[in-house]
Every structure is written in C-alpha cells, then in structure tokens.
Amino acid sequence: MKNLIFSFLLLLALLSCNSEDENPESQGCNGASCAPAVASGETAATVPSSAVGVYKCVVTFANPGSPFPLGTKATFEITADQKLIVTIEGEECLTISNPIWRFGADASSGNYTWKDSCRDNVAYNVSFAGSAFNEVNMEPVSGTGFFGQFSLE
C-alpha cells in the first residue's frame, strides 16, 4: 500500500511540473545580428550549457543616461551556440555573438558579456549565481560604467 501511495504522489508531482513556466521556449530571432570582435583586455568566454534558456526581465534600476528606463521589459535568450538574443519591449530582436569575459572576470565569476555595438551601444553582462540566473547588467560597450539592471519579472 505504501508503494502505491508513493507512486501516486510521485506521478502527481511529475505531472504538476511545467518547464515552460520556469523557462519559456525559444522564440528565435529574425532581426539584426551583431558579432563584435574580442577587444584588448577581453577574453572570449564559453557559456556553460546550464545557462542556456529564456529569461523574461524588467529594468529595476536605471542610472541617468541608461538606454532603457525603469519598467522596460525584455527577454534575454542564451542559445546553445553561444549567442544572446535580446528582445526589448517595442523593438525588433537582436542576436549577439561572441560572449566575453572582461574586467578580470573568468569562468568562476558567473558573468558573461555580449556587446551590442550594432544597435543600442550597450553591453549586456548576464550574471549567474552558481547555475541560477541572477540579473543582466547594462554597461558601456567600451570602458567601465554601469547604466542599470534587468531583473527577472
């Protein structure tokens, strides 16, 4: 009887999980593409497969001069082929290649940066705490600075 109850509870738990709620499916992108070269002081990064996914975010902090104001919604998709698809609310999607580590970051930092030097002139520093998505920081494409931050909706 215990095995029957355990099996029923396990089945119920499995059926109640819906991975689409936690990580929406890829929407792809037919918009522009950007593939900036790795600059001096930067290192080509390899994003781990655990980071691949779709992250729905909103700007929760914006400094003066931020390219996107508070409340702007965006979807960031990290693909298995090391690209970042950025879809900012009201704009066409953009696919960015060539993730990098910069400012001394490395694989242990959990920070991967894609530079949009093609359209919005902003670098997206996607941050993970271990394997869990943390935030997306907006930075200048060249030099140091901080425009603001996207957090999960």
Side-chain angles (χ1 to χ4, degrees):
M1 184 66 167
K2 286 182 183 179
N3 284 341
L4 181 60
I5 292 171
F6 176 77
S7 296
F8 175 75
L9 291 175
L10 180 62
L11 180 62
L12 184 62
L14 291 173
L15 291 175
S16 67
C17 292
N18 183 348
S19 63
E20 290 181 20
D21 291 339
E22 295 171 15
N23 200 1
E25 289 187 33
S26 170
Q27 298 302 304
C29 179
N30 293 320
S33 294
C34 190
V38 177
S40 176
E42 300 172 342
T43 305
T46 301
V47 181
S49 61
S50 61
V52 171
V54 178
Y55 306 96
K56 293 184 177 229
C57 298
V58 62
V59 174
T60 54
F61 180 83
N63 275 327
S66 173
F68 308 110
L70 284 175
T72 301
K73 293 184 178 184
T75 302
F76 297 92
E77 178 179 354
I78 299 174
T79 66
D81 60 350
Q82 304 288 303
K83 295 177 182 168
L84 180 69
I85 299 173
V86 179
T87 306
I88 304 293
E89 181 178 53
E91 296 186 27
E92 188 175 11
C93 63
L94 172 68
T95 302
I96 309 171
S97 301
N98 302 336
I100 59 169
W101 288 304
R102 59 190 215 169
F103 312 127
D106 61 17
S108 66
S109 71
N111 289 282
Y112 306 93
T113 301
W114 285 264
K115 298 185 303 183
D116 170 10
S117 56
C118 304
R119 184 180 73 190
D120 296 316
N121 203 34
V122 63
Y124 297 102
N125 178 341
V126 183
S127 172
F128 289 84
S131 62
F133 176 86
N134 191 30
E135 63 201 12
V136 177
N137 294 303
M138 296 178 283
E139 303 169 345
V141 168
S142 298
T144 59
F146 179 69
F147 293 134
Q149 179 178 87
F150 284 92
S151 301
L152 285 176
E153 279 188 319

